[in-house]
Amino acid sequence: MSAFALAAMLGSAHAQDTLYFSAIPDEDETRLAERFDKVADYLSEQLDVPVQFVPVKSYPAAVTAFRNDQVQLAWFGGLSGVQARLLVPEARAIAQGDEDQKFVSYFIANTDTGLTESADFPAAAKGMSFTFGAKTSTSGRLMPEFHIRQETGEAPEDFFDRVGFSGDHSQTLRLVASGAWQIGALNFAVYDQAVADGAPEIETAKVIWKTPPYPDYNWTIRGDVDARWGEGFADKVQAALIGMDDPDLLAAFPRTRFIAASNEDYAPIEKVGRELGLLE
C-alpha cells in the first residue's frame, strides 16, 4: 500500500470517528459559529470523541445534512426537528432547553404603526405589511401563521397587505425596526436578548402580542450512532447536554439549562405542520 493510500485511509477513519453536528441558522452566521464552536469543544471533552460543528445556510439544509448523515446530531427548531426525524429511522429528540417546553413567539411592530402591546391579537394590523422569519421556522413562521389563522379566520396573505420571509429572527427584528416591514414575528429569546444587549432596534420595534406557549427547539440525534460509537452513545450525548452547566455556553443559546426531551413532546408541532401543509 502506498503512503498516499495509507494516509487517505487513516484520514477517512479519523473522519468517521468524528461526531458532526449542525444547527438551524436562526441568527447571524458569525454569532452561530461563536456559539457552537464552543459547544463542540465541550462535547468533545465530555464524549471523548472529536466533535465538529458544521454550519449550514438554511433550515432545509440542516435537515438535509441530518438525513444524508453529514451530521449525526443537530440543534433544530420544533418543525425542522420533526422533519428530520421523519426522514431518519429511529432518530430521536434527546434534549431541549427548559424554556423550550413553553416557547412563545413575539409579534413586533414598528412604532410608526401606532400599535401597542395587548393581550388580544392585534386586529388593527389588518392591511399592514408583515414578515415571517425563515419559511420552516417554528417560532418565526409555523406558530405565528397558525395563530393568525386562528385569530382572524384568514390566511396571512389575506389579512395583511403584503407578506414576506426575512430568513432569520435577527433579520426580522432589523427589518421591522427600519420600517421595511411594519410587523413581524420572531423568537422571543432573540428579542429578549436584544433588550438585554441594549440593541438599537428595540427602540423602534416593540412587542405588540405574544402567542400562547408551544414546544420548540430540540437536540435530535440519528438512530444509528450507537452502532458507530458504541452501545449507549446516544444516552451519553444526552447526559452531556443535560449536564452542560457553563453559564457562558448556556447564555449563548440562550437557555438556563437543558432537560430531557422525546419525540412525543413535539406531537403538537407535527399536528400543526400537517394542518398547514408544511409536512408531507
Side-chain angles (χ1 to χ4, degrees):
M1 181 180 294
S2 69
F4 176 81
L6 178 60
M9 183 184 76
L10 291 175
S12 175
H14 177 73
Q16 190 175 22
D17 291 337
T18 299
L19 174 69
Y20 294 99
F21 80 95
S22 193
I24 53 171
D26 59 350
E27 290 192 68
D28 297 334
E29 191 170 333
T30 300
R31 182 172 173 81
L32 288 175
E34 291 173 355
R35 285 164 57 178
F36 293 112
D37 285 345
K38 294 176 183 177
V39 173
D41 292 340
Y42 166 80
L43 288 175
S44 182
E45 181 180 330
Q46 295 295 312
L47 302 173
D48 199 28
V49 301
V51 179
Q52 184 175 331
F53 170 61
V54 179
V56 294
K57 293 294 186 182
S58 68
Y59 283 54
V63 174
T64 298
F66 189 81
R67 180 193 64 193
N68 292 345
D69 197 24
Q70 294 166 298
V71 300
Q72 295 78 45
L73 174 71
W75 176 240
F76 286 125
L79 180 62
S80 51
V82 170
Q83 290 173 321
R85 292 190 294 273
L86 289 174
L87 292 169
V88 179
E90 298 182 34
R92 62 187 180 101
I94 56 173
Q96 61 181 185
D98 194 29
E99 296 82 353
D100 293 304
Q101 300 175 90
K102 294 183 177 180
F103 214 77
V104 299
S105 295
Y106 287 169
F107 279 51
I108 57 173
N110 186 278
T111 50
D112 285 347
T113 64
L115 296 173
T116 57
E117 185 168 6
S118 171
D120 298 321
F121 183 85
K126 186 174 178 64
M128 295 184 182
S129 63
F130 181 91
T131 184
F132 292 110
K135 290 185 178 180
T136 54
S137 169
T138 306
S139 52
R141 191 274 176 89
L142 179 74
M143 297 312 294
E145 176 167 348
F146 173 75
H147 286 293
I148 290 167
R149 290 174 179 270
Q150 286 283 103
E151 296 286 342
T152 70
E154 297 182 69
E157 295 78 10
D158 297 324
F159 183 77
F160 295 105
D161 174 62
R162 184 166 57 101
V163 174
F165 295 90
S166 72
D168 66 60
H169 303 292
S170 300
Q171 184 72 344
T172 295
L173 178 56
R174 283 192 292 269
L175 291 172
V176 173
S178 72
W181 294 89
Q182 292 174 292
I183 304 169
L186 80 168
N187 171 332
F188 86 93
V190 171
Y191 189 89
D192 285 357
Q193 188 64 50
V195 172
D197 293 342
E201 289 85 358
I202 63 171
E203 296 302 319
T204 53
K206 301 294 187 180
V207 177
I208 59 170
W209 190 66
K210 301 174 183 179
T211 67
Y214 54 86
D216 201 357
Y217 288 72
N218 58 96
W219 287 100
T220 288
I221 197 163
R222 286 179 59 92
D224 54 6
V225 295
D226 282 13
R228 299 167 64 175
W229 282 280
E231 189 67 30
F233 184 77
D235 292 338
K236 190 174 180 181
V237 175
Q238 181 183 49
L241 293 169
I242 294 172
M244 187 186 296
D245 58 7
D246 183 328
D248 290 336
L249 287 180
L250 292 169
F253 281 87
R255 298 294 186 275
T256 54
R257 63 171 181 151
F258 288 110
I259 61 174
S262 68
N263 294 1
E264 290 72 27
D265 294 333
Y266 296 89
I269 298 299
E270 181 173 353
K271 180 176 182 293
V272 174
R274 294 191 186 281
E275 287 177 1
L276 297 185
L278 297 176
L279 291 171
E280 296 179 0

